[in-house]
Amino acid sequence: MSKNITLFCCAGMSTSMLVNRMKAEAAKRGVDYNIAAYSLNELDSYGPDADVILLGPQVRYALPKVKAQFPDKPVDSIDMRSYGMMDGKTVLEFAEKKLNS
């Protein structure tokens, strides 16, 4: 069964490029993840199905609220440098560490 890695940001636009790079890295490694990005406004719709929730740097202010809303899930914010570089490999590895912690 594949895991859901869900990213939330302001509008989901720039994060969708990061998602594509994460998907490419997962495919290269032969691992099966459902990776998607949504606006933070859609947290109530997509958060419950996530196995790990990652917030874009622009919405990391919401981290305490999201952690409180989903206390049973790994929730963290994406490192600004990795996000800015659209480093799908590093962000995927970060998500995997969260999944396995």
Side-chain angles (χ1 to χ4, degrees):
M1 191 169 99
S2 67
K3 297 286 186 177
N4 294 320
I5 299 173
T6 309
L7 287 68
F8 291 95
C9 61
C10 282
M13 298 302 181
S14 55
T15 307
S16 64
M17 187 174 8
L18 179 59
V19 163
N20 289 336
R21 293 192 178 179
M22 291 172 71
K23 285 179 177 178
E25 180 63 27
K28 193 163 77 175
R29 291 204 261 146
V31 290
D32 184 27
Y33 295 119
N34 294 317
I35 308 170
Y38 303 100
S39 162
L40 190 58
N41 297 335
E42 298 176 287
L43 182 66
D44 292 340
S45 299
Y46 297 102
D49 293 329
D51 292 299
V52 62
I53 296 173
L54 299 178
L55 302 181
Q58 67 275 45
V59 295
R60 75 171 164 251
Y61 65 85
L63 192 59
K65 176 184 169 274
V66 177
K67 280 184 173 186
Q69 188 171 345
F70 298 101
D72 58 331
K73 297 181 189 289
V75 178
D76 212 330
S77 61
I78 300 168
D79 169 68
M80 195 177 297
R81 185 173 184 283
S82 299
Y83 187 90
M85 302 282 291
M86 291 286 137
D87 187 345
K89 180 179 186 287
T90 299
V91 177
L92 182 66
E93 288 169 353
F94 179 65
E96 287 175 323
K97 280 185 193 143
K98 292 288 165 189
L99 280 169
N100 297 322
S101 60

